[in-house]
Amino acid sequence: LKFEDGKVTVFQRDDVISGVWYANFQLGHGKRTMKSLETTDRAVAEYKAKDLYRKLLVRVDQDLPLRTIKFADFWDSKWLPYAKKRLSEHRYRLHDITARLYLKPYMAKRNLDQITTLVAEGYVDWRRDFWLKRDDRPKNCAVRPSKKTLQIEFGLLVQALAWAARESLIRPMGKIKAHVVKTDPDRQRRYGFTPHEWLDLAAHMEGWQHDGRHRLHNTQRALLRRLIWCYYLTGLRRREMETLKWKGVKPHGDGSRAEITVAADTKTGTRTVISQPDIYSYLPPRGADYDFVWPEGWEPHVSLRKLLDDIGLLKGPD
């Protein structure tokens, strides 16, 4: 059956016994496609073919692909391969992790070309409340993200959508803005010590490390004191410190500082950190290159929490 001056052909295939109707569409500019009409009724097939033809002409006119693609498929099969070639390793990891945790769950099963400016800008409010009522919140993950975190994640989404528009996968969307609350009354800020509190902690640990119940207890306390000072002098995150190996610690400058290479399987991926001076006074005795700096399997954070509680510096659950 032919319609629209022969540009639409509705037919049944000899090799398909179900009797389902199909349609071929010639759309101009060398574009053509075939689709199943998913019906065995001839009248319904004619109606669906004509309706599909009108919709496909609109897509051709707007220079969009003839077949839609899910947001998640776009991200994994088109955007990430491009990002891996063109962006830094750190930026690529941000795109990969943020999409897996937040962007793809937000978009759910939405088609890429269904994403409007309103949908994109709605990510900020959705993400802000994402962990609010969930019991599976990762340890040390803030209930509400900071303004900076929201801006970074939103920037990743905008960057990918801008590329999709340049590739004619979606319509150009114009300016997309992250509507971030300047001062969030519900934001739980990270806890931190003042300089005076650091001095109080340092002074307390000098005697505390020798005041345990037995020799092993004192050894553990002395090691915890070293760990606290290394956190202070490097700014490393907890997992970055736990996975640190001696091969990633090298002298820097005059030798009182250390150049530390953070392991790849951490939040930011591999990066280089330059410590403050005197770091070697607090690092444990050096082991082999592939040995962990801190005892493998050691769990110091219960003792750390008790230490801070005893001197009135335990500021929050994390």
Side-chain angles (χ1 to χ4, degrees), residues 139-152:
K139 194 173 183 180
N140 296 331
C141 172
V143 174
R144 292 188 186 275
S146 68
K147 176 182 176 181
K148 187 64 176 178
T149 296
L150 288 173
Q151 289 173 329
I152 290 172

Side-chain angles (χ1 to χ4, degrees), residues 89-98 100-102 127 131 138-142 145-146 148-150 152-153 156 187 190 235-241 243 262-271:
E89 183 178 348
H90 170 60
R91 187 76 176 177
Y92 168 76
R93 279 177 56 84
L94 273 178
H95 279 279
D96 185 22
I97 294 170
T98 303
R100 185 163 11 100
L101 293 177
Y102 305 117
R127 172 68 173 92
W131 292 113
K139 194 173 183 180
N140 296 331
C141 172
S146 68
K148 187 64 176 178
T149 296
L150 288 173
I152 290 172
E153 292 179 2
L156 302 178
R187 167 69 179 148
R190 288 194 179 100
L236 292 185
R237 296 180 175 89
R238 174 173 170 174
R239 177 163 172 76
E240 292 172 346
M241 192 70 82
T243 57
V262 172
D265 58 341
T266 52
K267 181 176 181 180
T268 62
T270 300
R271 63 186 177 96

Side-chain angles (χ1 to χ4, degrees), residues 114-125:
Q114 290 177 327
I115 299 173
T116 62
T117 300
L118 191 63
V119 169
E121 292 181 347
Y123 172 77
V124 171
D125 285 338

Side-chain angles (χ1 to χ4, degrees), residues 54 87 103 151 175 199 205 207 224 275 277 288:
R54 288 192 295 270
L87 305 182
L103 296 178
Q151 289 173 329
K175 187 173 182 180
L199 288 172
M205 289 192 299
L224 178 56
S275 77

